[in-house]
Amino acid sequence: DYFTNANRELKKDNQQDYHLEYAMENNTHTIIEFTRELHTCDINDRSITESTVRVIWAYHQEDVGEAGPKYHDSNRGTKSLRLLNPEKTNMFSTATSYFDLVNQDVPVPNKGTTYWCQMFKIPVFQEKHHVIKVEPVIQRGHESLVHHILLYQCSSNFNDSVLDYGHECYHPNMPDAFLTCETVIFAWAIGGEGFSYPPHVGLSLGTPVDPHYVLLEVHYDNPTNKEGLIDSSGLRLFHTTDIRNYDAGVIEAGLWVSLFHTIPPGMPEFLSEGHCTLECLDEALEAEKPSGIHVFAVLLHAHLAGRGIKLRHFRKGEEMKLLAYDDDFDFNFQEFQYLKEEKTILPGDNLITECRYNTKDRALMTWRVVSTRPGQPALNQWTRPFYIISPRLYSNVINKLIPSLSLYCEIPMNNNLLTYPSGKAFFGFCLKDFFYAVFCVIHLPLQKIQFALSLIRECSATSWRFLWLQADEFHLDF
């Protein structure tokens, strides 16, 4: 049991908390099995929780002698793991049928972030099937390029002409058919592996209410703006006619990708919340599932500024046990958390997604524009957990979440920044070439109001884009 200090020196721990259980060595491998308490009360140990753990490993060709371990040279590495995530073994035969929803030769642009959308038709089944496992199909060498994949159910009122081509998502020229694809039925993110549904749940295919056409949305992360990238990645769905007890569904929760979600620069910690209110859950569940729905897995998803996520659950004003959390979120390791016990959500419950960000390495405001990298002033730092539930909900109303306003107001005056809380203030933005001036008109002394109004006039007189935002109003002037 060793620990390291700030100078990366290994020191033997006075409190030995690791216990050898088994060891084996042959000509090619050394296998060691050991145990340790989750919480050792040792200042030189880290507690093991359900959050992500960065495991650092290193070894030397020679055994440890009395002088201690020798330097490992290049025999080292690191891997993010969730040590307490319950392991799910494959519950089906390797002969299980499957089909692929995979892009073909997508030309990835030489820019930091691209969202690419392609519609697919689900195979026609003569009877109901259940998808029991979904695996990512990532082109070799593109493991860091493909950041996440979402699969949406689309309208069934199309013909196969919508399958002819893909297009950048959220683009003014994208096909109108893409706009009908609103309900997420599966999600995968970087670092995750295949997802197996529990033995009593499956994703339904083959009935009139099931998806006939789906939209595959792939987020490409190309921070070096590399040219000439061609990608063929997607998802593989394993299915069976051995129907399970419940149909699976997905609830999206978190923060809207909108101008209401802003994160100031230089912040070691900044909290945002997304609320799924009791009115929302009451409306969504009372009509379809008055006995509630059961959450059995969660995918916590955020971008580079994300440091921690908590899914809080309230019932009748009392906070219940966290649905899921990760206090050490890793952008490059986003896999499903299988819950040890299914959690029930009832009509009238509240869900709050609490997101913790760090922007110490950023000099500019972080906005909602779709990107992932620091150094770019307009960044999408959404936090969007996906709850995998049963039984399935057919209404999409539960996806209508209310974001809290996390606003940061500044008055640039004599090169000093005077910060004020926004509250329900009447405020505006001036944007040009990614530079910004943000100011609050309410809560300010008269001279600062006059200064803000002069800034408004200056802003309006230029080619800058000027936005007025009010509690119940959104208006753009160009």
Side-chain angles (χ1 to χ4, degrees), residues 36 40 42 68 189 230 309 315 339 385 398 423 458:
R36 199 209 82 175
T40 63
D42 184 347
I230 304 295
I309 306 172
R315 180 171 297 157
L339 304 189
I398 203 164
E458 179 182 352

Side-chain angles (χ1 to χ4, degrees), residues 409 425-430 437-441 456 466-469:
C409 297
F426 187 40
F427 57 95
F429 296 78
C430 288
V438 185
F439 43 88
C440 295
V441 177
I456 291 172
F466 180 54
L467 286 72
W468 280 114
L469 297 175

Side-chain angles (χ1 to χ4, degrees), residues 9-260:
E9 297 172 335
L10 278 178
K11 295 182 178 294
K12 192 171 183 178
D13 199 337
N14 291 328
Q15 181 176 322
Q16 293 289 299
D17 296 302
Y18 289 78
H19 305 286
L20 181 65
E21 303 290 342
Y22 170 79
M24 186 277 287
E25 188 173 59
N26 58 24
N27 292 332
T28 59
H29 290 76
T30 299
I31 298 174
I32 298 174
E33 181 181 308
F34 57 89
T35 58
R36 199 209 82 175
E37 297 289 334
L38 299 181
H39 308 282
T40 63
C41 299
D42 184 347
I43 61 172
N44 296 318
D45 290 342
R46 290 180 62 92
S47 292
I48 297 174
T49 68
E50 294 182 16
S51 296
T52 299
V53 177
R54 273 75 163 178
V55 175
I56 301 172
W57 58 267
Y59 67 91
H60 193 274
Q61 299 294 341
E62 299 179 15
D63 291 339
V64 177
E66 292 184 3
K70 294 185 177 181
Y71 183 63
H72 47 67
D73 293 319
S74 61
N75 300 319
R76 62 180 181 178
T78 181
K79 184 175 178 61
S80 288
L81 298 170
R82 192 168 289 113
L83 296 176
L84 301 186
N85 199 16
E87 183 178 356
K88 295 293 181 181
T89 56
N90 289 336
M91 304 296 293
F92 60 92
S93 165
T94 55
T96 302
S97 299
Y98 68 86
F99 61 91
D100 290 345
L101 304 174
V102 174
N103 286 323
Q104 296 298 319
D105 299 328
V106 173
V108 181
N110 60 328
K111 60 181 181 179
T113 296
T114 299
Y115 284 76
W116 186 264
C117 285
Q118 172 74 53
M119 290 189 73
F120 292 87
K121 187 176 183 179
I122 297 294
V124 177
F125 299 116
Q126 301 304 315
E127 57 182 330
K128 180 172 179 174
H129 285 231
H130 261 156
V131 174
I132 57 177
K133 183 177 182 179
V134 183
E135 287 183 346
V137 180
I138 307 301
Q139 181 174 321
R140 179 170 295 185
H142 288 185
E143 289 79 8
S144 62
L145 175 67
V146 181
H147 175 261
H148 71 253
I149 301 175
L150 298 181
L151 189 64
Y152 295 85
Q153 180 172 348
C154 306
S155 170
S156 299
N157 300 320
F158 293 122
N159 57 49
D160 291 355
S161 63
V162 299
L163 309 176
D164 291 343
Y165 57 93
H167 200 283
E168 281 198 52
C169 316
Y170 316 112
H171 190 280
N173 296 328
M174 74 178 187
D176 291 341
F178 290 6
L179 300 175
T180 72
C181 310
E182 295 183 337
T183 303
V184 174
I185 59 175
F186 188 76
W188 171 90
I190 186 170
E193 298 180 356
F195 176 77
S196 295
Y197 291 89
H200 60 295
V201 180
L203 176 63
S204 180
L205 298 177
T207 77
V209 296
D210 292 332
H212 299 284
Y213 294 95
V214 293
L215 182 77
L216 189 77
E217 175 188 302
V218 180
H219 174 190
Y220 293 110
D221 186 27
N222 183 14
T224 60
N225 298 333
K226 188 174 181 179
E227 297 183 352
L229 292 172
I230 304 295
D231 181 70
S232 299
S233 298
L235 299 173
R236 174 167 294 168
L237 284 69
F238 295 84
H239 57 96
T240 178
T241 55
D242 185 10
I243 302 305
R244 299 177 170 189
N245 294 336
Y246 298 103
D247 294 340
V250 175
I251 294 177
E252 300 174 62
L255 291 160
W256 266 337
V257 183
S258 75
L259 278 170
F260 289 110

Side-chain angles (χ1 to χ4, degrees), residues 244-318:
R244 299 177 170 189
N245 294 336
Y246 298 103
D247 294 340
V250 175
I251 294 177
E252 300 174 62
L255 291 160
W256 266 337
V257 183
S258 75
L259 278 170
F260 289 110
H261 186 213
T262 60
I263 308 173
M267 299 292 288
E269 184 170 289
F270 187 84
L271 292 179
S272 294
E273 291 181 351
H275 292 252
C276 190
T277 64
L278 63 90
E279 293 84 3
C280 168
L281 283 168
D282 196 56
E283 179 183 351
L285 298 181
E286 190 62 46
E288 288 191 51
K289 306 295 178 189
S291 60
I293 53 176
H294 305 286
V295 180
F296 56 85
V298 173
L299 175 63
L300 302 178
H301 179 64
H303 286 177
L304 278 172
R307 294 296 184 271
I309 306 172
K310 291 182 180 179
L311 305 184
R312 303 172 66 187
H313 183 199
F314 295 81
R315 180 171 297 157
K316 297 180 179 179
E318 297 291 331

Side-chain angles (χ1 to χ4, degrees), residues 392-465:
R392 168 188 181 184
L393 290 173
Y394 295 94
S395 169
N396 199 37
V397 68
I398 203 164
N399 291 334
K400 298 176 182 177
L401 304 178
I402 299 176
S404 60
L405 296 183
S406 54
L407 301 169
Y408 182 75
C409 297
E410 296 176 347
I411 301 293
M413 184 179 293
N414 299 327
N415 296 321
N416 293 320
L417 295 180
L418 306 177
T419 304
Y420 294 85
S422 62
K424 294 183 178 179
F426 187 40
F427 57 95
F429 296 78
C430 288
L431 303 174
K432 182 182 181 183
D433 298 331
F434 298 129
F435 293 98
Y436 68 92
V438 185
F439 43 88
C440 295
V441 177
I442 204 167
H443 302 318
L444 301 184
L446 178 60
Q447 65 271 24
K448 291 189 174 67
I449 292 178
Q450 292 172 340
F451 175 81
L453 292 176
S454 67
L455 186 61
I456 291 172
R457 287 193 294 271
E458 179 182 352
C459 179
S460 302
T462 69
S463 60
W464 292 28
R465 184 173 61 173

